[in-house]
Amino acid sequence: MSQKDIAGLKVDKDRLMKDIHTTCEWGKGERWGDAETETGMSRLSLSDTDKQARDWFHETTTALGCKVHVDAMGNQFAVRPGLNNDAPPTYAGSHLDTQPTGGRYDGILGVTAAVEMLRVLNDNWVETSYPTAVVNWTNEEGARFPKSMTASGVWSGDIPLEDAHNLKSVIPANDTATMRSELERIGYLGDVPCSWEASPMAAHFELHIEQGPILEAENRRIGVVQGVQSYKWFTVTVRGRDSHTGATSFQHRADALLTASKMILASHKIASKHGALASTGILNLKPGSTNTVPGFVQFSLDIRAPQDDTVNTTEAACKSAFSALAAGEDVLNIQAGCTPSSRQCTVDWHTDFVSPATHFHDDCIASVQAAAQDLCGSGEVSGRDIGSWGKLMTSGAGHDSVYANKRCPASMIFVPCRDGVSHNPSEYSSPEQCADGANVLLGAVVRYDKLRGERGWESGP
Amino acid sequence: MSQKDIAGLKVDKDRLMKDIHTTCEWGKGERWGDAETETGMSRLSLSDTDKQARDWFHETTTALGCKVHVDAMGNQFAVRPGLNNDAPPTYAGSHLDTQPTGGRYDGILGVTAAVEMLRVLNDNWVETSYPTAVVNWTNEEGARFPKSMTASGVWSGDIPLEDAHNLKSVIPANDTATMRSELERIGYLGDVPCSWEASPMAAHFELHIEQGPILEAENRRIGVVQGVQSYKWFTVTVRGRDSHTGATSFQHRADALLTASKMILASHKIASKHGALASTGILNLKPGSTNTVPGFVQFSLDIRAPQDDTVNTTEAACKSAFSALAAGEDVLNIQAGCTPSSRQCTVDWHTDFVSPATHFHDDCIASVQAAAQDLCGSGEVSGRDIGSWGKLMTSGAGHDSVYANKRCPASMIFVPCRDGVSHNPSEYSSPEQCADGANVLLGAVVRYDKLRGERGWESGP
């Protein structure tokens, strides 16, 4: 195909939106607007509704002429043959699971746009040099089984299969299911080993909503994603002493919740100072009674920054500050005006997850940028300024592309989402924005395939 | 009986401790020490174990010659006849339910000491002028059915019966039981109306552990309780917006948990300033995922002070501060060093419970003080200084005596508890301290009965 032929390939916006909204019937969440599709999503990984979405993926891609296989983590790989089928496919993909109160675009757009890519290739009788494929990764959200991007992590060799299989469901509380038992229950425990060797990829492209406000605020259509910021997840445990709220003076308390509140505030101030992000999304306490000062609090802490060093510095500063606050010492003037207590709390940290900064592959980034430029029009391009249509970006969120990038060249495409809102029922990208992203995904994959053909790459550069 | 005869009446310490520890087999909680009885209690109101404790109360007091009746809230009244049985009894009592992670003394000591009082009266063939009685109040803790002192509140006419019956169990989460359904299930929905008219009291005395550190710190044996401090309970709801922790800059967040943390800290600082107490014992958030900034937080706020005015002033200052913090404005320098955000949270208050300051009855307080003085020895007594053995006190915690005091003269007796710890498995008062309290309870009831006889009071002063 000529560059012009490639640029002429366009997705069918309505067909794409129909796929998104049809599949979002399974696992529909909270309503946020009046229109029929203005509801969020609650499609937890390996739930009954996730099975429905998976069945749709299998049937649709099979009907489009793909050979579909499932691995031991339930990852679904749909491969459309190319001219040379001895080499690994060029992949597009994302995930179909959602947060418990998530929206219709996070992950879902990436998979449905990749399926739309298959349709466009078929409609235009395009024969790619190598196979072209779509992947649906299992449990990217880590919401139900608490490890993000579990199944791409097993595929890349970073997470042991057994650890992943043994992950316990945390939603609903008291669920006794594990990933393995749920994979078996819904019939998605595949017989192919979960690994980059058993399901090799020549490249991995992922379209995703930005999940942040930058593209919308700067009125840009496409984010060309060069990498993913560094992040670490911790569980922080504060232990004090249960005591009666009415009969225990401030001087005699070891109030684990007051102390945790100071720590959460301190983490925000410290991250602000270092140009990092620190966030707490989960907090549990015991015993949980209006008239009992809690003696036990456990909370999550998520620290992120573009550079690993910044995350580590912020972590160290938080560790020092939390220890001081637990001991009743002042940090950042937070204690000013508090009643000093003769009793202390203790604090313990557990590191749950470390994801160093990811730098995507230049060839993939270049393919995304070229496809976006074809779509949006040219303009002066130099350095990080790629024209008013788009922006070179670092992703704030982790994605399956982080693990994919460890075993093959990868990059991502971002499209704006309204108000930067994500992990929320009202998450929204317009049909035009979705189609923009799908067109760039299609263009990037076809371009990369062409590059492979030209350079004679079998399995990658 | 002469004063000397009264002073000669003494409880049997070992028998009392046996009652405490035997009944604490039902609903045993967390272990905190090596000895057999070193476990806490988890005897939620109207649970199966609460029924076992109630059955014990019924059988024991019946065997001691009492006439026992149960009212529509499950309150148990055991009446030992006196010389004149046309007048209401002088009561001693407390409650047998506990916090989910409570101890062996809160409430339990008050009921078992009252039962021990009956035994001592029987052993010594004491004929009181009027009936002497013991009451076991239902759901004092308000832990399972979230309204403290529910059943004494219905008895006094402050809480409508229907509201109390319809209270839903909050432990375990998702329990669908109501107070009424549980009263029926365990067979304690009595046929006597729950009211001070149907079960009149001439006076109400309650022995309780202090639940605070003062008596122990000052090495005093008995607290003569003159009243209960004022308190209000609120539910505070903070609404922000769910957003992705990695992709949403601090500038674009409406972080309900960070805001709630600032509010909890502010409430502590404001209460410190006003000489009040402010405490948060419950905090729930949504959606509850490590990588989602919570858009919804709800927490309890318990404000207490000896005077109603102080509580109201603290409440008003917290309301103003919380509104400012939700709007991103500074209060008490808490925002210093925070990243300002273009998005705000909202805050709503709901008042769950108001308990104005309670002043107990002089005659009851005098009876307690005289009984304590007999036990502990005399000494110079003037004003609030009642000798080194004891202290005139205001209770920090609410008790059934608050409601009882609305319909009859009342007072309370405090004994020290180790480290001031309560609402905790390791709550502890020594056998000697328990016996001290039981002796004063016995002495106060007998003294008050004598006072009634002397003054010819039928139903109270």
Side-chain angles (χ1 to χ4, degrees):
Chain A
M1 289 178 87
S2 70
Q3 289 290 1
K4 204 182 145 203
D5 290 340
I6 292 176
L9 293 173
K10 286 283 176 299
V11 303
D12 180 331
K13 183 180 71 185
D14 295 339
R15 189 167 58 184
L16 170 64
M17 297 316 293
K18 189 166 166 252
D19 273 353
I20 291 175
H21 294 313
T22 307
T23 58
C24 282
E25 286 300 301
W26 305 309
K28 229 190 303 199
E30 264 177 55
R31 177 159 292 285
W32 58 268
D34 294 334
E36 202 189 326
T37 61
E38 289 177 350
T39 60
M41 288 297 292
S42 184
R43 190 160 67 205
L44 293 169
S45 187
L46 308 185
S47 62
D48 291 347
T49 53
D50 187 35
K51 174 183 159 49
Q52 290 177 292
R54 288 165 171 276
D55 291 350
W56 167 85
F57 180 89
H58 185 93
E59 286 156 22
T60 305
T61 54
T62 303
L64 288 169
C66 292
K67 194 157 180 277
V68 185
H69 71 273
V70 178
D71 73 12
M73 284 301 296
N75 295 319
Q76 296 177 283
F77 304 87
V79 181
R80 179 180 186 271
L83 291 169
N84 175 353
N85 291 306
D86 295 333
T90 306
Y91 270 88
S94 195
H95 60 95
L96 289 171
D97 68 316
T98 78
Q99 288 282 323
T101 58
R104 293 183 167 232
Y105 302 91
D106 175 355
I108 297 167
L109 174 60
V111 176
T112 50
V115 169
E116 173 61 18
M117 170 189 80
L118 297 176
R119 296 195 207 270
V120 175
L121 296 179
N122 279 9
D123 290 352
N124 292 277
W125 303 91
V126 175
E127 287 191 305
T128 51
S129 306
Y130 298 97
T132 308
V134 180
V135 58
N136 170 34
W137 298 106
T138 298
N139 194 43
E140 192 273 347
E141 295 291 356
R144 183 176 183 205
F145 303 99
K147 195 178 274 289
S148 289
M149 313 171 308
T150 323
S152 53
V154 174
W155 176 88
S156 70
D158 287 271
I159 299 172
L161 177 70
E162 210 185 311
D163 291 5
H165 273 176
N166 290 336
L167 279 173
K168 287 205 177 73
S169 168
V170 294
I171 305 175
N174 310 324
D175 191 357
T176 56
T178 63
M179 279 203 87
R180 190 187 160 96
S181 74
E182 285 295 88
L183 282 166
E184 275 179 334
R185 186 185 68 82
I186 67 166
Y188 276 89
L189 182 64
D191 47 13
V192 176
C194 178
S195 78
W196 59 278
E197 287 149 315
S199 302
M201 300 186 173
H204 182 272
F205 290 90
E206 184 172 8
L207 165 63
H208 210 279
I209 58 168
E210 182 196 343
Q211 307 186 283
I214 299 170
L215 292 174
E216 187 186 59
E218 299 184 3
N219 199 26
R220 299 180 193 260
R221 290 167 69 184
I222 296 292
V224 177
V225 187
Q226 297 181 296
V228 176
Q229 69 182 347
S230 171
Y231 64 98
K232 286 191 180 180
W233 286 2
F234 307 94
T235 300
V236 179
T237 305
V238 183
R239 287 187 177 84
R241 200 172 58 169
D242 301 352
S243 56
H244 194 288
T245 56
T248 320
S249 67
F250 285 159
Q251 288 84 354
H252 285 87
R253 294 187 182 189
D255 185 333
L257 182 60
L258 176 64
T259 305
S261 299
K262 293 173 185 173
M263 290 173 178
I264 290 167
L265 179 58
S267 73
H268 173 84
K269 294 187 179 192
I270 290 166
S272 294
K273 197 169 132 192
H274 289 88
L277 294 173
S279 317
T280 295
I282 299 175
L283 186 148
N284 293 301
L285 59 78
K286 283 189 225 174
S289 170
T290 300
N291 59 351
T292 304
V293 175
F296 179 93
V297 173
Q298 200 163 59
F299 63 89
S300 64
L301 184 66
D302 170 328
I303 300 179
R304 306 198 190 214
Q307 307 300 328
D308 296 335
D309 279 358
T310 315
V311 169
N312 293 334
T313 309
T314 305
E315 174 193 351
C318 285
K319 278 188 170 152
S320 154
F322 288 13
S323 294
L325 290 166
E329 296 159 19
D330 193 26
V331 169
L332 300 163
N333 211 30
I334 285 173
Q335 301 276 31
C338 290
T339 304
S341 176
S342 59
R343 303 196 184 282
Q344 303 189 352
C345 291
T346 62
V347 57
D348 290 300
W349 288 64
H350 182 260
T351 305
D352 298 316
F353 196 62
V354 177
S355 182
T358 297
H359 304 286
F360 287 142
H361 196 281
D362 284 345
D363 291 329
C364 290
I365 297 170
S367 299
V368 169
Q369 186 169 336
Q373 208 140 7
D374 270 353
L375 180 75
C376 306
S378 60
E380 275 311 304
V381 176
S382 70
R384 283 185 68 92
D385 179 4
I386 55 172
S388 62
W389 55 266
K391 192 177 181 92
L392 292 170
M393 304 183 77
T394 298
S395 170
H399 295 285
D400 290 312
S401 294
V402 168
Y403 283 125
N405 188 63
K406 295 193 165 195
R407 297 298 177 182
C408 69
S411 181
M412 294 184 71
I413 301 139
F414 277 176
V415 289
C417 57
R418 188 173 56 195
D419 271 352
V421 168
S422 182
H423 287 193
N424 186 296
S426 67
E427 178 183 276
Y428 180 77
S429 295
S430 70
E432 291 69 28
Q433 290 167 330
C434 292
D436 271 357
N439 275 316
V440 176
L441 179 70
L442 166 65
V445 168
V446 176
R447 254 169 200 77
Y448 194 83
D449 173 73
K450 190 168 184 300
L451 193 67
R452 288 176 72 191
E454 285 164 9
R455 299 194 187 169
W457 290 338
E458 292 278 313
S459 56
Chain B
M1 289 178 85
S2 69
Q3 290 289 3
K4 204 181 146 207
D5 290 339
I6 292 177
L9 292 173
K10 286 284 177 297
V11 304
D12 180 331
K13 183 180 72 183
D14 295 338
R15 189 166 59 183
L16 170 64
M17 297 317 292
K18 190 167 164 252
D19 273 353
I20 291 176
H21 295 311
T22 306
T23 59
C24 283
E25 286 300 301
W26 306 308
K28 228 189 305 197
E30 265 176 56
R31 177 159 292 283
W32 57 268
D34 293 333
E36 203 188 325
T37 60
E38 290 178 350
T39 61
M41 287 298 291
S42 183
R43 190 160 66 204
L44 294 168
S45 187
L46 309 184
S47 62
D48 291 345
T49 53
D50 187 35
K51 173 182 160 49
Q52 290 177 291
R54 289 165 170 276
D55 291 349
W56 167 85
F57 180 89
H58 184 93
E59 286 156 22
T60 305
T61 53
T62 304
L64 288 170
C66 293
K67 194 157 179 277
V68 185
H69 72 272
V70 178
D71 73 13
M73 284 302 294
N75 295 319
Q76 296 176 283
F77 304 86
V79 180
R80 180 179 185 271
L83 291 169
N84 174 352
N85 292 305
D86 295 334
T90 307
Y91 269 88
S94 194
H95 60 94
L96 289 172
D97 68 317
T98 77
Q99 289 282 325
T101 57
R104 292 182 167 231
Y105 302 89
D106 174 357
I108 297 167
L109 173 61
V111 176
T112 51
V115 170
E116 173 61 19
M117 169 190 79
L118 297 176
R119 296 194 206 270
V120 176
L121 296 179
N122 280 10
D123 290 351
N124 292 278
W125 303 91
V126 175
E127 287 192 305
T128 51
S129 307
Y130 299 96
T132 309
V134 180
V135 56
N136 170 34
W137 297 106
T138 299
N139 194 43
E140 192 271 349
E141 294 292 356
R144 183 178 182 200
F145 303 99
K147 195 179 275 288
S148 289
M149 314 170 307
T150 323
S152 53
V154 175
W155 175 89
S156 70
D158 288 272
I159 299 171
L161 178 69
E162 210 184 311
D163 292 4
H165 272 176
N166 291 335
L167 279 174
K168 288 206 177 72
S169 168
V170 294
I171 303 176
N174 310 322
D175 191 359
T176 56
T178 63
M179 278 203 86
R180 190 185 160 96
S181 74
E182 284 294 90
L183 281 166
E184 275 180 334
R185 186 184 67 83
I186 67 165
Y188 275 90
L189 182 66
D191 46 12
V192 176
C194 178
S195 78
W196 58 277
E197 287 150 315
S199 303
M201 299 186 175
H204 181 272
F205 290 91
E206 184 173 9
L207 164 63
H208 209 280
I209 58 168
E210 181 197 344
Q211 307 187 284
I214 299 170
L215 292 175
E216 186 186 60
E218 299 185 2
N219 198 26
R220 297 180 194 261
R221 289 167 69 182
I222 297 291
V224 177
V225 187
Q226 297 182 297
V228 176
Q229 70 181 347
S230 171
Y231 63 98
K232 286 192 179 179
W233 286 2
F234 307 94
T235 299
V236 180
T237 306
V238 184
R239 286 186 177 84
R241 201 172 56 167
D242 300 351
S243 56
H244 195 288
T245 56
T248 320
S249 68
F250 284 160
Q251 287 85 354
H252 285 86
R253 295 187 182 188
D255 186 334
L257 182 60
L258 176 64
T259 305
S261 298
K262 292 174 186 173
M263 291 171 176
I264 290 167
L265 180 58
S267 72
H268 173 85
K269 293 186 179 193
I270 290 166
S272 293
K273 197 170 134 191
H274 289 89
L277 293 174
S279 318
T280 296
I282 298 175
L283 187 148
N284 293 303
L285 58 81
K286 283 191 225 173
S289 168
T290 301
N291 58 352
T292 304
V293 175
F296 178 94
V297 173
Q298 201 164 59
F299 62 90
S300 64
L301 184 66
D302 170 327
I303 299 179
R304 308 199 187 213
Q307 306 300 329
D308 296 335
D309 279 357
T310 316
V311 169
N312 293 334
T313 309
T314 305
E315 174 192 351
C318 285
K319 278 188 170 152
S320 153
F322 288 13
S323 295
L325 290 168
E329 296 157 19
D330 192 27
V331 169
L332 300 164
N333 212 29
I334 285 173
Q335 300 277 31
C338 291
T339 304
S341 175
S342 59
R343 304 196 183 282
Q344 301 188 354
C345 291
T346 62
V347 58
D348 290 301
W349 287 65
H350 181 261
T351 304
D352 298 316
F353 196 63
V354 177
S355 183
T358 296
H359 304 285
F360 287 141
H361 195 282
D362 284 344
D363 291 329
C364 289
I365 297 169
S367 298
V368 169
Q369 186 170 337
Q373 209 140 5
D374 270 352
L375 179 73
C376 306
S378 59
E380 276 308 308
V381 177
S382 69
R384 283 185 69 91
D385 180 4
I386 55 171
S388 62
W389 55 266
K391 191 177 181 94
L392 292 169
M393 304 183 76
T394 298
S395 170
H399 296 283
D400 290 311
S401 295
V402 168
Y403 283 125
N405 188 63
K406 295 194 164 195
R407 296 297 177 185
C408 69
S411 181
M412 293 184 70
I413 301 139
F414 278 175
V415 289
C417 57
R418 188 174 55 197
D419 270 353
V421 170
S422 183
H423 287 192
N424 185 295
S426 67
E427 177 183 278
Y428 180 78
S429 294
S430 70
E432 291 71 28
Q433 290 167 330
C434 293
D436 271 358
N439 275 317
V440 176
L441 179 70
L442 166 66
V445 168
V446 176
R447 257 169 197 75
Y448 194 83
D449 173 75
K450 189 167 186 300
L451 194 68
R452 288 175 72 190
E454 285 164 10
R455 299 193 188 169
W457 289 338
E458 292 279 313
S459 58

